[in-house]
Amino acid sequence: MAEGGDVEWELSKENIQPLRRGRAISALHQALSQQQDGVSSAINQQRQAFESEVRMYEGDDPLDVWDRYIKWTEQTFPQGGKESNLGTLLERVVTRFTDEKKYHNDPRYVDLWIKFAENCPEPLDIYRYMQAQGIGVTQASLYIAWSEEYENQGNCRKADLVYQEGFKKCAEPHDKLQQFHKALQARVSRQVMMNVEEDDSDNEPKQPERVSLADLKHRGKKKAIAPVNRTGHAIRSISGGLLSHGPSVLGNASNSRLVIFDENKTESAGPSEPKLESWVAPPTSKAKENEQRPERWCDVKLPQKSKYGRTVMAPPPPKPTFQPFVEETDQPPTMTPCKINPAVNTVLSSRKPCREETPLKRLQEHHQQQKEAESGKLQEQSMYCKELLLSGATEFCFEEVRAERYFKKMAQESKEVRGQKDEASASTSN
Amino acid sequence: MTSTLKGITLKGSAELVAEFFSFGINSILYQRGIYPPETFSRVTHYDMSLQLSTDPKLKNYLTNVVSQLKEWLFECTVQKLVLVITCLETNEVLERWQFDIECDKSAKENSTPREKSIKTIQDEIRSVIRQITATVTFLPLLETPCAFDLLVYTDKDLAVPEKWEESGPQIIDQSEEVRLRSFTTSIHKVNSMVAYKRTDSV
C-alpha cells in the first residue's frame, strides 16, 4: 500500500467508531474515500442487493443474510450515524427471529442482540428481556456483555452475580466465561486495594466526584482561570449557598449535605435576614436510581423548609380589602388588534410526546401482537405481502418485489436455455 | 562546534532510533492496555505527552533491550524489531508491530556527519508515534489478558548475546496489515507496520 493512501484514516480518526472485532483496512479506505461525495452509488447498489436478498432468501438459514448485511453496514459506515441505518437494522433482525427457537442460542443471533442492546439507552433492560425470553441463556457472551454493563455503571456486585448466573446455566464456552470472570475479579480487587490505600490517610469519599454547579477555588493569583481538577479539594464548599459567607462554621463540611442546626447562629442571623435558607447540595450524578417520573406539577405544593426545621406553607396571597380605582374613561381595549384573521391562520403548537417509545417497548409490543395473532384476536389482516415490503431496513414497493421475482425467473430460464443448448451442442457433436 | 549541531553522526543516529523505540514500545504497551494504565506516568517528549511505564521490572527489561539495540544499531547489524502481542492463555499471536530498520552501512566507514537536523527527525518520529496512537480506530479490542515479546532480527553472522535466544517469527495467519509512516535519520530508516487478526466479516 502506498504511503499516501494511509493518511486518510489518520485524518478522520475521530470519525471512526472502534469496533470490538476491529476493522478491515481495505473497507475502511474505501468507505473514507467515498465519504466526500455522500453515499455513493456503489454503496447504494450493495445495500439494495442486501435488501432484496433479505426478502428473497429461500434457504434454511435466513439469519446468515442479516448477519452479513449488518457486518457490511458496520464496516461501510465507519462513523455510524443515521444513514447507516444500523439501529433500525438491528431492531428488525432482533424482532424478526424472536420466535425462531432454533436461533435462540445461536452465537450470531446473540451477538446481534448484544449489539442491539449496546445501541439502546438502557442495555440492562434488554439483557433482562433476553433472559426472560430464553435468548442466549446458554451463551457466555450474553453474561459477559451483561456483566460489563453492570461494571460500567459501577455495580461490581451485580456484575459478579451475572457471572454466577452464567455458571449456573452452564453457558458455553465455559473457559471464556471463566476467563472474563477472573479478569473482573482482578479488576475489582485492584480497585479495592487502591481505595484502601487512599482511605488510610483521610476519610475522603471513595470516589471524588465532580459536583455539578460547584464553585471552584482559585488557585494562586490567577483568579480568572478555573483549575482543571474539579474534584476533591478543588471544589469549594457548596453546602452553604447563601451561607457561604460564614465559612468558619461550615468550613470543613466540604462534601456533607447536612446542615446542622445551630441555635446560636440562628439568633444572630434571625430577623435581619428572613430569607436565609439552607440549600441542599445538588444531587450527585449517581442519583439516577431515584429519578423522578415526569408528572403534573400544577397542583403540587412544594413544602418549604425554613431554617428552623419547621415546614411552612407559603401563605396565600391576601385578597385586597379595597376596590382598586378604575377611571371611567379608561376603558381597556376589549381585544388586542389582530392583523391576521385567527380563523384563517392555523395555530401550531409543538407536538407533545404521547408516550415514551423505547426499542424495548416496541419489542414487547411486537411480541404481544404476535401472541394475539396466534390466538386469533388480531383485528387487522393485511391482504398483501406486507412482510415482503417491510421486512428490510427500507421499504420496498410492489414493483421492486415484482422486478426481483422477474429477474430471478429470467436468470433461471436463461440458465435452462443454456443448459439445453449445451446438451444440444453435445448431442450434435456426437 | 556548529557543524555537529547541524549534522548527524552514526552514534547520534543510533541513539535517536533507540530512543524512538523506547518511547514507541511504551506507547504501544499503554495504548493496547498490556499493562494497567496506572503503572504509567506522563512525560513530555518530542513536544507531545507520552506515557512511560513505572513498573520496575518492565523498565529494567526495556532498558536492557534498548541498550543492546543501540549497540546493534551502531554496528548496523539490526534489520527488524518486532513487538508481538500474544494472548496470555492460549499463546495465540494477536498483534504484531513490525519496525523494519534499513541501515546505511557506508556510515560506518565514512564518519562525516549527514545533513539533517534533529528537529526534522523528531518531527518525523512524532508523526509515527501519533499514528501508533491513532491505530485504535481500526484495531480489534484485546479482550483477554495479553503478554508481549520483543523480537530483533539481526544479520545472520552475529553472535547471540548471553541474554538473548533464538526465536520463531511468530507470524499471525490470516492477518490484516497496515503500513504506518516511516522516518529516517538519513543513516537509519525505520518503516513501521502493524498486523492484526483479520475480522471474519466482509
Side-chain angles (χ1 to χ4, degrees):
Chain A
M1 217 172 289
E3 251 215 328
D6 299 340
V7 189
E8 195 95 51
W9 66 264
E10 203 193 349
L11 286 179
S12 43
K13 55 180 179 266
E14 294 89 352
N15 293 331
I16 302 168
Q17 290 185 335
L19 287 183
R20 215 164 234 267
R21 321 207 59 148
R23 289 187 176 277
I25 196 74
S26 51
L28 187 60
H29 275 294
Q30 208 183 352
L32 291 178
S33 59
Q34 285 168 349
Q35 200 179 51
Q36 285 93 347
D37 31 77
V39 178
S40 76
S41 59
I43 288 181
N44 269 335
Q45 254 171 23
Q46 261 170 306
R47 190 207 292 258
Q48 191 70 15
F50 273 119
E51 283 284 327
S52 62
E53 198 182 348
V54 157
R55 287 174 173 85
M56 295 298 157
Y57 187 81
E58 279 171 348
D60 53 358
D61 188 17
L63 183 64
D64 175 59
V65 186
W66 281 96
D67 192 39
R68 277 186 288 123
Y69 189 8
I70 283 167
K71 280 183 178 152
W72 172 83
T73 310
E74 279 178 340
Q75 298 278 349
T76 315
F77 297 91
Q79 59 278 74
K82 192 165 162 277
E83 69 266 36
S84 78
N85 243 339
L86 189 63
T88 330
L89 272 178
L90 285 170
E91 197 180 322
R92 279 278 154 77
V93 64
V94 150
T95 33
R96 169 104 202 266
F97 298 108
T98 21
D99 296 318
E100 303 239 2
K101 284 274 183 296
K102 70 167 175 177
Y103 284 138
H104 276 194
N105 281 302
D106 189 314
R108 290 171 302 166
Y109 189 50
V110 178
D111 276 347
L112 289 176
W113 264 98
I114 291 168
K115 275 180 202 161
F116 170 66
E118 281 165 357
N119 252 347
C120 286
E122 275 294 332
L124 289 178
D125 290 346
I126 307 278
Y127 296 134
R128 261 179 239 125
Y129 180 79
M130 282 173 78
Q131 195 189 28
Q133 298 288 320
I135 295 163
V137 283
T138 64
Q139 286 298 314
S141 48
L142 166 65
Y143 299 100
I144 291 168
W146 196 349
S147 165
E148 273 171 0
E149 186 55 39
Y150 268 127
E151 200 189 341
N152 285 345
Q153 298 187 2
N155 196 340
C156 292
R157 204 179 56 84
K158 280 261 177 76
D160 189 69
L161 281 180
V162 167
Y163 278 117
Q164 301 307 334
E165 179 69 22
F167 288 127
K168 221 193 291 171
K169 288 266 159 60
C170 300
E172 286 296 323
H174 184 72
D175 43 346
K176 190 177 172 194
L177 194 63
Q178 213 156 26
Q179 196 185 330
F180 276 83
H181 184 218
K182 263 190 218 154
L184 169 76
Q185 284 175 327
R187 279 196 298 272
V188 170
S189 59
R190 210 175 64 211
Q191 220 174 2
V192 170
M193 293 264 281
M194 276 163 58
N195 279 345
V196 166
E197 274 169 31
E198 273 175 20
D199 279 7
D200 274 349
S201 49
D202 53 354
N203 46 2
E204 277 275 290
K206 269 180 195 156
Q207 277 189 324
E209 270 168 25
R210 182 183 160 187
V211 187
S212 56
L213 303 175
D215 265 355
L216 295 170
K217 273 184 201 163
H218 311 302
R219 259 199 198 160
K221 283 172 189 169
K222 291 180 201 165
K223 275 196 173 175
I225 298 163
V228 180
N229 182 12
R230 280 170 184 262
T231 55
H233 294 292
I235 296 176
R236 221 202 283 165
S237 154
I238 39 121
S239 55
L242 286 171
L243 289 179
S244 64
H245 54 262
S248 55
V249 182
L250 292 160
N252 53 1
S254 68
N255 271 322
S256 82
R257 294 211 218 159
L258 277 177
V259 178
I260 295 156
F261 173 61
D262 188 9
E263 210 179 14
N264 304 325
K265 183 131 197 320
T266 45
E267 268 173 17
S268 66
S272 58
E273 287 173 89
K275 269 189 160 180
L276 206 64
E277 267 181 300
S278 66
W279 289 72
V280 183
T284 52
S285 61
K286 280 285 167 57
K288 216 176 171 190
E289 302 172 336
N290 321 327
E291 210 174 25
Q292 232 174 357
R293 296 261 111 212
E295 56 180 322
R296 283 168 71 89
W297 274 90
C298 54
D299 356 284
V300 174
K301 289 234 170 70
L302 187 69
Q304 289 187 327
K305 270 208 179 129
S306 77
K307 177 80 191 156
Y308 312 100
R310 276 179 288 139
T311 308
V312 177
M313 299 298 277
K319 269 202 173 164
T321 49
F322 57 90
Q323 199 72 35
F325 172 74
V326 181
E327 211 167 336
E328 273 169 41
T329 52
D330 184 30
Q331 280 205 341
T334 46
M335 217 173 76
T336 40
C338 182
K339 274 181 190 163
I340 310 157
N341 184 0
V344 174
N345 195 27
T346 45
V347 183
L348 295 177
S349 91
S350 66
R351 192 174 291 169
K352 309 289 180 294
C354 44
R355 70 203 162 104
E356 226 181 326
E357 268 244 319
T358 63
L360 185 68
K361 266 196 184 151
R362 283 201 290 271
L363 262 185
Q364 282 163 336
E365 243 161 52
H366 177 84
H367 197 71
Q368 196 66 32
Q369 271 176 12
Q370 232 153 29
K371 262 192 194 158
E372 279 174 14
E374 271 165 31
S375 56
K377 267 196 279 179
L378 201 67
Q379 309 268 317
E380 289 172 26
Q381 198 175 1
S382 41
M383 299 305 283
Y384 62 100
C385 44
K386 191 178 167 190
E387 275 292 288
L388 276 186
L389 297 185
L390 297 175
S391 59
T394 56
E395 202 174 316
F396 263 32
C397 64
F398 290 111
E399 277 66 31
E400 275 171 302
V401 175
R402 208 151 47 185
E404 213 55 56
R405 286 202 182 121
Y406 175 76
F407 286 134
K408 214 173 179 180
K409 209 170 125 195
M410 287 298 282
Q412 212 169 4
E413 266 173 17
S414 67
K415 213 197 227 166
E416 273 170 23
V417 169
R418 218 177 299 141
Q420 278 170 0
K421 264 189 193 163
D422 284 350
E423 251 173 51
S425 61
S427 60
T428 47
S429 66
N430 273 345
Chain B
M1 285 213 294
T2 49
S3 62
T4 50
L5 278 175
K6 268 188 191 164
I8 185 154
T9 58
L10 176 60
K11 189 157 178 272
S13 166
E15 251 160 40
L16 270 178
V17 176
E19 187 188 56
F20 158 74
F21 281 124
S22 162
F23 285 114
I25 292 167
N26 267 299
S27 347
I28 294 173
L29 295 181
Y30 175 77
Q31 293 298 336
R32 305 307 289 145
I34 311 296
Y35 285 83
E38 62 265 19
T39 65
F40 286 83
S41 68
R42 201 159 65 174
V43 291
T44 307
H45 202 86
Y46 304 128
D47 279 339
M48 64 198 288
S49 65
L50 294 162
Q51 302 284 346
L52 274 191
S53 175
T54 52
D55 185 300
K57 270 190 195 161
L58 178 62
K59 260 165 75 179
N60 195 15
Y61 169 71
L62 285 180
T63 339
N64 273 341
V65 171
V66 169
S67 60
Q68 177 63 61
L69 192 70
K70 207 187 289 178
E71 235 169 79
W72 280 329
L73 281 166
F74 186 60
E75 291 162 15
C76 290
T77 49
V78 61
Q79 295 169 354
K80 274 181 205 175
L81 178 119
V82 179
L83 193 158
V84 184
I85 295 177
T86 52
C87 174
L88 203 58
E89 306 241 321
T90 59
N91 266 335
E92 187 190 11
V93 183
L94 299 176
E95 258 174 53
R96 199 168 184 278
W97 297 80
Q98 181 173 321
F99 301 93
D100 295 314
I101 303 161
E102 289 168 26
C103 305
D104 183 358
K105 291 197 178 174
S106 66
K108 270 163 83 175
E109 288 95 48
N110 180 7
S111 61
T112 49
R114 306 289 175 91
E115 287 288 314
K116 185 154 188 180
S117 76
I118 291 190
K119 201 177 168 303
T120 19
I121 297 168
Q122 288 195 336
D123 278 349
E124 285 178 29
I125 291 180
R126 183 165 59 220
S127 60
V128 176
I129 294 185
R130 283 240 168 90
Q131 218 175 18
I132 290 176
T133 314
T135 50
V136 285
T137 51
F138 58 84
L139 287 179
L141 191 71
L142 296 173
E143 290 189 312
T144 54
C146 289
F148 85 103
D149 199 4
L150 289 172
L151 315 173
V152 178
Y153 288 60
T154 57
D155 289 352
K156 274 218 172 94
D157 49 345
L158 201 74
V160 182
E162 203 181 315
K163 286 183 180 166
W164 292 72
E165 58 177 10
E166 295 198 18
S167 145
Q170 311 230 36
I171 286 174
I172 311 173
D173 56 324
Q174 294 246 322
S175 70
E176 188 92 32
E177 291 180 359
V178 180
R179 207 158 265 294
L180 305 179
R181 284 175 202 275
S182 56
F183 74 91
T184 174
T185 64
S186 76
I187 296 173
H188 297 101
K189 181 168 195 253
V190 179
N191 296 314
S192 345
M193 187 180 85
V194 58
Y196 55 97
K197 268 188 92 74
R198 191 192 293 271
T199 50
D200 47 5
S201 61
V202 185

